[in-house]
PDB file of all heavy atoms in Angstrom:
ATOM      1  N   GLY A 359       0.862  11.768 -49.511  1.00  0.00           N
ATOM      2  CA  GLY A 359       0.937  12.513 -50.654  1.00  0.00           C
ATOM      3  C   GLY A 359       1.785  13.835 -50.460  1.00  0.00           C
ATOM      4  O   GLY A 359       2.652  14.180 -51.085  1.00  0.00           O
ATOM      5  N   ILE A 360       1.425  14.545 -49.349  1.00  0.00           N
ATOM      6  CA  ILE A 360       2.110  15.808 -49.007  1.00  0.00           C
ATOM      7  C   ILE A 360       3.545  15.554 -48.684  1.00  0.00           C
ATOM      8  O   ILE A 360       4.369  16.316 -49.138  1.00  0.00           O
ATOM      9  CB  ILE A 360       1.300  16.549 -47.837  1.00  0.00           C
ATOM     10  CG1 ILE A 360      -0.018  17.039 -48.436  1.00  0.00           C
ATOM     11  CG2 ILE A 360       2.180  17.698 -47.339  1.00  0.00           C
ATOM     12  CD1 ILE A 360      -0.790  17.885 -47.512  1.00  0.00           C
ATOM     13  N   PRO A 361       3.962  14.577 -47.774  1.00  0.00           N
ATOM     14  CA  PRO A 361       5.349  14.304 -47.644  1.00  0.00           C
ATOM     15  C   PRO A 361       6.036  13.950 -48.867  1.00  0.00           C
ATOM     16  O   PRO A 361       7.185  14.418 -49.062  1.00  0.00           O
ATOM     17  CB  PRO A 361       5.319  13.087 -46.562  1.00  0.00           C
ATOM     18  CG  PRO A 361       4.008  13.231 -45.960  1.00  0.00           C
ATOM     19  CD  PRO A 361       3.054  13.760 -46.981  1.00  0.00           C
ATOM     20  N   GLY A 362       5.385  13.209 -49.843  1.00  0.00           N
ATOM     21  CA  GLY A 362       6.020  12.883 -51.070  1.00  0.00           C
ATOM     22  C   GLY A 362       6.170  14.053 -51.877  1.00  0.00           C
ATOM     23  O   GLY A 362       7.255  14.167 -52.517  1.00  0.00           O
ATOM     24  N   MET A 363       5.313  14.908 -52.028  1.00  0.00           N
ATOM     25  CA  MET A 363       5.422  16.116 -52.722  1.00  0.00           C
ATOM     26  C   MET A 363       6.602  17.021 -52.281  1.00  0.00           C
ATOM     27  O   MET A 363       7.448  17.551 -53.035  1.00  0.00           O
ATOM     28  CB  MET A 363       4.203  17.048 -52.837  1.00  0.00           C
ATOM     29  CG  MET A 363       3.010  16.380 -53.639  1.00  0.00           C
ATOM     30  SD  MET A 363       1.581  17.475 -53.871  1.00  0.00           S
ATOM     31  CE  MET A 363       0.986  17.556 -52.274  1.00  0.00           C
ATOM     32  N   ARG A 364       6.690  17.113 -50.957  1.00  0.00           N
ATOM     33  CA  ARG A 364       7.753  17.905 -50.259  1.00  0.00           C
ATOM     34  C   ARG A 364       9.112  17.310 -50.605  1.00  0.00           C
ATOM     35  O   ARG A 364      10.044  18.008 -50.889  1.00  0.00           O
ATOM     36  CB  ARG A 364       7.402  18.080 -48.887  1.00  0.00           C
ATOM     37  CG  ARG A 364       8.530  18.854 -48.144  1.00  0.00           C
ATOM     38  CD  ARG A 364       8.083  19.190 -46.774  1.00  0.00           C
ATOM     39  NE  ARG A 364       6.989  20.252 -46.587  1.00  0.00           N
ATOM     40  CZ  ARG A 364       5.746  20.023 -46.362  1.00  0.00           C
ATOM     41  NH1 ARG A 364       5.457  18.776 -45.913  1.00  0.00           N
ATOM     42  NH2 ARG A 364       4.869  20.915 -46.306  1.00  0.00           N
ATOM     43  N   GLU A 365       9.184  15.904 -50.519  1.00  0.00           N
ATOM     44  CA  GLU A 365      10.341  15.225 -50.776  1.00  0.00           C
ATOM     45  C   GLU A 365      10.848  15.397 -52.159  1.00  0.00           C
ATOM     46  O   GLU A 365      12.006  15.641 -52.539  1.00  0.00           O
ATOM     47  CB  GLU A 365      10.129  13.753 -50.490  1.00  0.00           C
ATOM     48  CG  GLU A 365      11.393  12.916 -50.578  1.00  0.00           C
ATOM     49  CD  GLU A 365      12.202  13.058 -49.359  1.00  0.00           C
ATOM     50  OE1 GLU A 365      11.838  13.788 -48.417  1.00  0.00           O
ATOM     51  OE2 GLU A 365      13.301  12.352 -49.248  1.00  0.00           O
ATOM     52  N   ARG A 366       9.902  15.387 -53.126  1.00  0.00           N
ATOM     53  CA  ARG A 366      10.239  15.466 -54.595  1.00  0.00           C
ATOM     54  C   ARG A 366      10.816  16.908 -54.828  1.00  0.00           C
ATOM     55  O   ARG A 366      11.833  17.083 -55.471  1.00  0.00           O
ATOM     56  CB  ARG A 366       9.039  15.301 -55.481  1.00  0.00           C
ATOM     57  CG  ARG A 366       8.726  13.821 -55.671  1.00  0.00           C
ATOM     58  CD  ARG A 366       7.608  13.631 -56.675  1.00  0.00           C
ATOM     59  NE  ARG A 366       7.354  12.221 -56.840  1.00  0.00           N
ATOM     60  CZ  ARG A 366       7.941  11.383 -57.742  1.00  0.00           C
ATOM     61  NH1 ARG A 366       9.030  11.888 -58.329  1.00  0.00           N
ATOM     62  NH2 ARG A 366       7.638  10.143 -57.826  1.00  0.00           N
ATOM     63  N   ALA A 367      10.086  17.879 -54.218  1.00  0.00           N
ATOM     64  CA  ALA A 367      10.619  19.331 -54.406  1.00  0.00           C
ATOM     65  C   ALA A 367      12.024  19.487 -53.825  1.00  0.00           C
ATOM     66  O   ALA A 367      12.900  20.048 -54.478  1.00  0.00           O
ATOM     67  CB  ALA A 367       9.704  20.295 -53.825  1.00  0.00           C
ATOM     68  N   GLN A 368      12.245  18.924 -52.620  1.00  0.00           N
ATOM     69  CA  GLN A 368      13.499  19.138 -51.982  1.00  0.00           C
ATOM     70  C   GLN A 368      14.619  18.426 -52.715  1.00  0.00           C
ATOM     71  O   GLN A 368      15.849  18.857 -52.836  1.00  0.00           O
ATOM     72  CB  GLN A 368      13.453  18.620 -50.542  1.00  0.00           C
ATOM     73  CG  GLN A 368      12.604  19.402 -49.655  1.00  0.00           C
ATOM     74  CD  GLN A 368      12.285  18.873 -48.138  1.00  0.00           C
ATOM     75  OE1 GLN A 368      12.707  17.821 -47.989  1.00  0.00           O
ATOM     76  NE2 GLN A 368      11.760  19.716 -47.405  1.00  0.00           N
ATOM     77  N   LEU A 369      14.351  17.275 -53.306  1.00  0.00           N
ATOM     78  CA  LEU A 369      15.360  16.572 -54.056  1.00  0.00           C
ATOM     79  C   LEU A 369      15.940  17.260 -55.362  1.00  0.00           C
ATOM     80  O   LEU A 369      16.928  16.965 -55.738  1.00  0.00           O
ATOM     81  CB  LEU A 369      14.887  15.124 -54.396  1.00  0.00           C
ATOM     82  CG  LEU A 369      14.760  14.108 -53.223  1.00  0.00           C
ATOM     83  CD1 LEU A 369      14.109  12.872 -53.766  1.00  0.00           C
ATOM     84  CD2 LEU A 369      16.100  13.864 -52.558  1.00  0.00           C
ATOM     85  N   THR A 370      15.012  18.114 -55.883  1.00  0.00           N
ATOM     86  CA  THR A 370      15.385  18.929 -56.958  1.00  0.00           C
ATOM     87  C   THR A 370      16.156  20.158 -56.584  1.00  0.00           C
ATOM     88  O   THR A 370      16.640  20.892 -57.482  1.00  0.00           O
ATOM     89  CB  THR A 370      14.205  19.340 -57.861  1.00  0.00           C
ATOM     90  OG1 THR A 370      13.452  20.237 -57.055  1.00  0.00           O
ATOM     91  CG2 THR A 370      13.496  18.124 -58.250  1.00  0.00           C
ATOM     92  N   GLY A 371      16.363  20.403 -55.202  1.00  0.00           N
ATOM     93  CA  GLY A 371      16.862  21.738 -54.814  1.00  0.00           C
ATOM     94  C   GLY A 371      15.935  22.765 -54.623  1.00  0.00           C
ATOM     95  O   GLY A 371      16.209  23.827 -54.302  1.00  0.00           O
ATOM     96  N   GLY A 372      14.580  22.452 -54.836  1.00  0.00           N
ATOM     97  CA  GLY A 372      13.542  23.418 -54.551  1.00  0.00           C
ATOM     98  C   GLY A 372      12.905  23.314 -53.272  1.00  0.00           C
ATOM     99  O   GLY A 372      13.452  22.750 -52.300  1.00  0.00           O
ATOM    100  N   GLN A 373      11.647  23.802 -53.246  1.00  0.00           N
ATOM    101  CA  GLN A 373      10.878  23.693 -51.960  1.00  0.00           C
ATOM    102  C   GLN A 373       9.401  23.612 -52.310  1.00  0.00           C
ATOM    103  O   GLN A 373       8.894  24.046 -53.327  1.00  0.00           O
ATOM    104  CB  GLN A 373      11.251  24.986 -51.145  1.00  0.00           C
ATOM    105  CG  GLN A 373      10.880  26.294 -51.710  1.00  0.00           C
ATOM    106  CD  GLN A 373      11.212  27.443 -50.746  1.00  0.00           C
ATOM    107  OE1 GLN A 373      11.817  27.281 -49.799  1.00  0.00           O
ATOM    108  NE2 GLN A 373      10.945  28.673 -51.329  1.00  0.00           N
ATOM    109  N   LEU A 374       8.600  23.154 -51.288  1.00  0.00           N
ATOM    110  CA  LEU A 374       7.171  23.151 -51.363  1.00  0.00           C
ATOM    111  C   LEU A 374       6.548  23.659 -50.071  1.00  0.00           C
ATOM    112  O   LEU A 374       6.931  23.329 -49.012  1.00  0.00           O
ATOM    113  CB  LEU A 374       6.691  21.736 -51.612  1.00  0.00           C
ATOM    114  CG  LEU A 374       5.165  21.440 -51.850  1.00  0.00           C
ATOM    115  CD1 LEU A 374       4.980  20.562 -53.072  1.00  0.00           C
ATOM    116  CD2 LEU A 374       4.576  20.971 -50.623  1.00  0.00           C
ATOM    117  N   THR A 375       5.588  24.508 -50.291  1.00  0.00           N
ATOM    118  CA  THR A 375       4.758  25.018 -49.188  1.00  0.00           C
ATOM    119  C   THR A 375       3.340  24.762 -49.357  1.00  0.00           C
ATOM    120  O   THR A 375       2.841  24.686 -50.513  1.00  0.00           O
ATOM    121  CB  THR A 375       4.937  26.610 -49.064  1.00  0.00           C
ATOM    122  OG1 THR A 375       4.615  27.212 -50.305  1.00  0.00           O
ATOM    123  CG2 THR A 375       6.467  26.822 -48.702  1.00  0.00           C
ATOM    124  N   ILE A 376       2.601  24.808 -48.214  1.00  0.00           N
ATOM    125  CA  ILE A 376       1.132  24.614 -48.162  1.00  0.00           C
ATOM    126  C   ILE A 376       0.488  25.758 -47.529  1.00  0.00           C
ATOM    127  O   ILE A 376       0.951  26.279 -46.482  1.00  0.00           O
ATOM    128  CB  ILE A 376       0.740  23.283 -47.449  1.00  0.00           C
ATOM    129  CG1 ILE A 376       1.458  22.031 -48.049  1.00  0.00           C
ATOM    130  CG2 ILE A 376      -0.737  23.086 -47.428  1.00  0.00           C
ATOM    131  CD1 ILE A 376       1.021  21.698 -49.450  1.00  0.00           C
ATOM    132  N   GLU A 377      -0.538  26.379 -48.197  1.00  0.00           N
ATOM    133  CA  GLU A 377      -1.216  27.474 -47.613  1.00  0.00           C
ATOM    134  C   GLU A 377      -2.742  27.185 -47.628  1.00  0.00           C
ATOM    135  O   GLU A 377      -3.281  26.530 -48.574  1.00  0.00           O
ATOM    136  CB  GLU A 377      -1.013  28.675 -48.481  1.00  0.00           C
ATOM    137  CG  GLU A 377       0.468  29.230 -48.436  1.00  0.00           C
ATOM    138  CD  GLU A 377       0.662  30.437 -49.348  1.00  0.00           C
ATOM    139  OE1 GLU A 377      -0.304  30.842 -49.963  1.00  0.00           O
ATOM    140  OE2 GLU A 377       1.759  30.985 -49.333  1.00  0.00           O
ATOM    141  N   THR A 378      -3.439  27.691 -46.616  1.00  0.00           N
ATOM    142  CA  THR A 378      -4.918  27.637 -46.637  1.00  0.00           C
ATOM    143  C   THR A 378      -5.477  28.954 -46.206  1.00  0.00           C
ATOM    144  O   THR A 378      -4.924  29.570 -45.171  1.00  0.00           O
ATOM    145  CB  THR A 378      -5.322  26.665 -45.489  1.00  0.00           C
ATOM    146  OG1 THR A 378      -4.770  26.956 -44.229  1.00  0.00           O
ATOM    147  CG2 THR A 378      -4.898  25.243 -45.917  1.00  0.00           C
ATOM    148  N   ASP A 379      -6.434  29.573 -46.953  1.00  0.00           N
ATOM    149  CA  ASP A 379      -6.981  30.740 -46.637  1.00  0.00           C
ATOM    150  C   ASP A 379      -8.350  30.987 -47.361  1.00  0.00           C
ATOM    151  O   ASP A 379      -8.454  30.507 -48.507  1.00  0.00           O
ATOM    152  CB  ASP A 379      -6.116  31.975 -46.970  1.00  0.00           C
ATOM    153  CG  ASP A 379      -5.767  32.002 -48.332  1.00  0.00           C
ATOM    154  OD1 ASP A 379      -4.956  31.261 -48.940  1.00  0.00           O
ATOM    155  OD2 ASP A 379      -6.398  32.838 -49.145  1.00  0.00           O
ATOM    156  N   ASP A 380      -9.320  31.472 -46.697  1.00  0.00           N
ATOM    157  CA  ASP A 380     -10.578  31.817 -47.390  1.00  0.00           C
ATOM    158  C   ASP A 380     -11.214  30.556 -48.050  1.00  0.00           C
ATOM    159  O   ASP A 380     -11.768  30.580 -49.175  1.00  0.00           O
ATOM    160  CB  ASP A 380     -10.519  32.848 -48.334  1.00  0.00           C
ATOM    161  CG  ASP A 380     -10.052  34.213 -47.734  1.00  0.00           C
ATOM    162  OD1 ASP A 380     -10.352  34.472 -46.534  1.00  0.00           O
ATOM    163  OD2 ASP A 380      -9.362  35.005 -48.393  1.00  0.00           O
ATOM    164  N   GLY A 381     -11.105  29.451 -47.416  1.00  0.00           N
ATOM    165  CA  GLY A 381     -11.661  28.191 -47.948  1.00  0.00           C
ATOM    166  C   GLY A 381     -10.953  27.605 -49.095  1.00  0.00           C
ATOM    167  O   GLY A 381     -11.543  26.729 -49.709  1.00  0.00           O
ATOM    168  N   ARG A 382      -9.733  27.978 -49.272  1.00  0.00           N
ATOM    169  CA  ARG A 382      -8.942  27.311 -50.400  1.00  0.00           C
ATOM    170  C   ARG A 382      -7.666  26.751 -49.843  1.00  0.00           C
ATOM    171  O   ARG A 382      -7.176  27.118 -48.777  1.00  0.00           O
ATOM    172  CB  ARG A 382      -8.540  28.534 -51.347  1.00  0.00           C
ATOM    173  CG  ARG A 382      -9.737  29.225 -51.919  1.00  0.00           C
ATOM    174  CD  ARG A 382      -9.192  30.344 -53.017  1.00  0.00           C
ATOM    175  NE  ARG A 382     -10.270  30.938 -53.678  1.00  0.00           N
ATOM    176  CZ  ARG A 382     -10.170  31.923 -54.559  1.00  0.00           C
ATOM    177  NH1 ARG A 382      -8.948  32.323 -54.953  1.00  0.00           N
ATOM    178  NH2 ARG A 382     -11.258  32.433 -55.167  1.00  0.00           N
TER     179      ARG A 382
END
Side-chain angles (χ1 to χ4, degrees):
I360 290 181
M363 289 190 291
R364 182 170 286 111
E365 186 79 0
R366 284 187 178 276
Q368 291 174 350
L369 289 178
T370 65
Q373 61 182 3
L374 182 136
T375 57
I376 303 296
E377 296 180 357
T378 55
D379 62 282
D380 297 330
R382 296 183 180 181

